[in-house]
Amino acid sequence: VPQLAHSILCCSRCVNPTMPGAAEFNTGEVYEMPPNPLIQDEFRFPHGTLPSDHPFAWDVVAKDPKGDHGTFSLRGNWYKTMTYELLHTGGFLRLCTLRGRVYWNAQNEHGHLTPDWKLHFSVEVGQIPLVWDILAALFMEYMCEIGMKATTISEEDWSPQQRGREITVYLFQYSYCYGPGGPMMGLVPEEDHTFYIGREVEGIFTAPFWFTWIQEAEARLAAAGVRSRGTADGDLALPGCVYASLRNEAFVKVNGGEPEYPPNHTGWNATRQINPMTDVVFMLGAVEKEKARTAAVTAQLIEAQKHLAALRSCPESA
């Protein structure tokens, strides 16, 4: 475990840099774009955020929320071409792929009883435009699937029960209920590859992938001076994370009633479905333990240096 923790910590340092770099956020903080083999340089947003004139940038969308903002496509060096689009519905702005829309429809068809794992990001409501531009850029740079969303509801109307869930990133989980490839298989044969939601989709986004993505998200938000509202009630706090938390929001029966959205008091996995992020939580925890060990050793060295300096400053005994 110590060796694993050390290797994870090294990876963490690569995606969570502390030295000044080239990209600047509006706080004046300087943020370094770390190297990442999953991202081709030409697909990086130059300052770790969407440009102000990008069709998916928050302020651009806000000028015409229900308008057609087109699509945005990226071709990865490890996966297929990813095409993203926006939806502005139900008090949320969503960035998604067509596969994501199929996934959401499949969940709806099965009464939201299938796994519904999500990363939540806790941020001040007034900073959502800034955070959206940062996380949407990161989502597309890493060629993430399914989708993400941000609330468009005002701070006064945003439910206190949803504090800490201002931004949501969806984590795909296959269910046998969806059938071999999902509800859209065969309906538009030439697009089967686009609508496919089989188990293989899970295998693309592994624990190292999400570990790296979360670490990078935390680094960019911190560099931008984003303020957290604390972990959402009912969410699982992720080790070392200021903004990100985890929850399965598959519907659950409460007091023998009909299945419903899990109330906060039912916890972060009310249906007790398999947690797909177990390894990610372990890796994040290993990094924190290694940081704590390093800090303890550093503190001991500093005390030893102080003690040695004090001895050297004493006059020699006769």
Side-chain angles (χ1 to χ4, degrees):
V1 172
Q3 291 85 352
L4 174 61
H6 176 73
S7 63
I8 293 173
L9 180 60
C10 292
C11 176
S12 168
R13 287 169 177 161
C14 289
V15 299
N16 191 3
T18 56
M19 295 300 292
E24 296 182 3
F25 291 96
N26 62 2
T27 61
E29 294 276 349
V30 179
Y31 175 74
E32 178 180 336
M33 291 287 286
N36 191 307
L38 299 181
I39 308 173
Q40 294 186 33
D41 288 340
E42 61 266 31
F43 296 152
R44 287 174 174 270
F45 292 98
H47 300 291
T49 186
L50 295 180
S52 60
D53 60 349
H54 192 281
F56 292 174
W58 185 275
D59 288 344
V60 173
V61 177
K63 294 176 183 177
D64 186 13
K66 300 295 184 180
D68 181 2
H69 298 278
T71 61
F72 186 75
S73 297
L74 294 172
R75 174 69 186 180
N77 59 352
W78 67 288
Y79 193 34
K80 65 183 184 68
T81 299
M82 300 291 285
T83 300
Y84 299 96
E85 61 180 325
L86 296 182
L87 300 173
H88 193 286
T89 59
F92 292 96
L93 176 60
R94 302 171 188 264
L95 170 67
C96 64
T97 60
L98 282 177
R99 194 189 314 277
R101 298 182 69 172
V102 173
Y103 182 55
W104 292 333
N105 285 337
Q107 289 179 317
N108 187 56
E109 287 179 6
H110 292 281
H112 299 282
L113 299 176
T114 55
D116 191 15
W117 290 93
K118 300 169 182 176
L119 291 173
H120 290 134
F121 286 84
S122 174
V123 302
E124 293 287 347
V125 175
Q127 291 188 303
I128 287 176
L130 169 66
V131 175
W132 168 269
D133 287 353
I134 292 171
L135 292 185
L138 185 63
F139 192 88
M140 291 189 289
E141 283 178 359
Y142 275 65
M143 305 233 163
C144 295
E145 270 280 18
I146 308 307
M148 58 171 285
K149 69 179 181 182
T151 180
T152 58
I153 299 173
S154 68
E155 186 169 1
E156 295 75 19
D157 295 329
W158 182 237
S159 170
Q161 284 72 39
Q162 292 299 311
R163 175 200 56 80
R165 300 176 185 139
E166 288 73 33
I167 307 284
T168 296
V169 174
Y170 290 83
L171 306 173
F172 176 81
Q173 279 293 283
Y174 174 75
S175 171
Y176 71 91
C177 298
Y178 303 152
M184 291 293 290
M185 287 295 93
L187 298 182
V188 187
E190 63 273 18
E191 293 295 333
D192 275 354
H193 64 287
T194 301
F195 299 142
Y196 183 80
I197 57 169
R199 187 178 297 279
E200 295 83 352
V201 178
E202 290 180 18
I204 297 168
F205 303 97
T206 60
F209 177 94
W210 284 117
F211 167 78
T212 304
W213 194 90
I214 292 169
Q215 289 272 290
E216 177 66 8
E218 291 276 324
R220 292 193 188 188
L221 296 180
V226 173
R227 298 180 299 276
S228 171
R229 303 181 71 196
T231 302
D233 295 334
D235 277 30
L236 176 67
L238 296 177
C241 292
V242 175
Y243 311 98
S245 61
L246 178 68
R247 195 171 199 236
N248 178 19
E249 295 187 333
F251 280 20
V252 63
K253 291 184 178 181
V254 179
N255 299 324
E258 292 297 317
E260 61 178 276
Y261 175 86
N264 288 344
H265 69 81
T266 61
W268 61 275
N269 186 13
T271 54
R272 303 295 185 267
Q273 292 169 334
I274 295 174
N275 179 6
M277 299 288 277
T278 298
D279 288 347
V280 176
V281 174
F282 171 81
M283 294 167 75
L284 291 169
V287 168
E288 289 309 297
K289 289 178 181 178
E290 181 67 11
K291 286 180 180 178
R293 188 192 69 81
T294 301
V297 171
T298 301
Q300 291 173 356
L301 289 174
I302 292 173
E303 287 301 314
Q305 289 171 347
K306 289 180 179 178
H307 183 64
L308 181 60
L311 289 176
R312 288 175 174 171
S313 66
C314 294
E316 294 184 6
S317 58

